[in-house]
Amino acid sequence: MMGKSVLLDKFMQRALDIAATAQNQSGTLPYAAVVVLDGKIIGEGINQAPRLFDPTSHGEVEAIKDACKRLETTDLSGAAIYTTAEPCSMCVATMILTNISKLVYAADWKDSTSFMSEMAADQPSLKRRYNLVQLREQVAKPPEERDMLTERMGQREAVLIFKSFANSRK
């Protein structure tokens, strides 16, 4: 017996509707999001990573970019984001960098990992090194403790550029 149906609010329904369009759009994946401020949608996005050959083109990032462009700001304080799946570390970082105040998501990391694993069986380009939990663990580590080889050089030169830039803005 199926559980009682949950009434979705219009913003989550809109995110789900956008995600459903991926089935008929080449080069998209069914991860979508909407950004809402003061009861109005100010940004929408869908994962276009395969189409754009852009691994940062996640639904949440695209919705945030859309909202920032529409409002001509990078500060989305007070906004909420509604997304079809639990966001990855990159998407969460983008939410934090833009001061998004609330996250509402549908599918969790297990649902997403299962879906992506199934897709990768037919499309090797979708194979991922880490699931969302493993990705969070890698991102949380200092650079020298991550699985990726890391080298540091040019600190002095970079700091001089930063200082010069800051001084030019005074």
Side-chain angles (χ1 to χ4, degrees):
M1 180 179 203
M2 299 243 342
K4 187 176 177 181
S5 177
V6 176
L7 179 63
L8 299 174
D9 78 14
K10 65 183 179 181
F11 303 123
M12 180 56 78
Q13 188 59 61
R14 177 64 183 149
L16 292 165
D17 290 345
I18 294 168
T21 69
Q23 189 166 346
N24 300 316
Q25 290 185 54
S26 177
T28 61
L29 292 169
Y31 295 101
V34 297
V35 178
V36 177
L37 182 64
D38 298 328
K40 295 179 184 154
I41 295 175
I42 59 168
E44 297 184 340
I46 189 167
N47 185 310
Q48 300 180 74
R51 175 190 299 156
L52 301 176
F53 306 103
D54 179 357
T56 68
S57 181
H58 290 195
E60 298 91 343
V61 171
E62 294 298 327
I64 290 168
K65 287 166 50 175
D66 185 35
C68 288
K69 284 179 187 174
R70 288 188 198 191
L71 299 183
E72 297 182 345
T73 185
T74 57
D75 183 3
L76 299 176
S77 294
I81 189 163
Y82 292 75
T83 180
T84 57
E86 183 177 350
C88 73
S89 298
M90 176 187 67
C91 293
V92 171
T94 305
M95 291 172 206
I96 291 168
L97 288 170
T98 56
N99 299 316
I100 287 187
S101 301
K102 181 180 179 182
L103 164 66
V104 181
Y105 68 95
D108 68 13
W109 73 271
K110 292 176 190 171
D111 299 320
S112 188
T113 297
S114 175
F115 165 72
M116 288 302 288
S117 294
E118 184 177 327
M119 294 298 297
D122 297 324
Q123 299 176 49
S125 65
L126 295 178
K127 184 173 178 359
R128 297 296 174 254
R129 189 171 173 189
Y130 305 110
N131 66 35
L132 286 178
V133 172
Q134 294 164 329
L135 178 62
R136 286 185 190 126
E137 291 168 353
Q138 283 294 307
V139 170
K141 293 179 179 181
E144 64 277 1
E145 293 179 20
R146 294 182 191 135
D147 290 344
M148 178 177 32
L149 293 176
T150 302
E151 180 179 347
R152 185 174 177 189
M153 65 172 67
Q155 177 190 12
R156 183 178 62 77
E157 294 83 357
V159 171
L160 287 173
I161 292 169
F162 297 160
K163 287 180 180 178
S164 176
F165 183 90
N167 288 334
S168 75
R169 299 292 196 244
K170 290 182 181 178

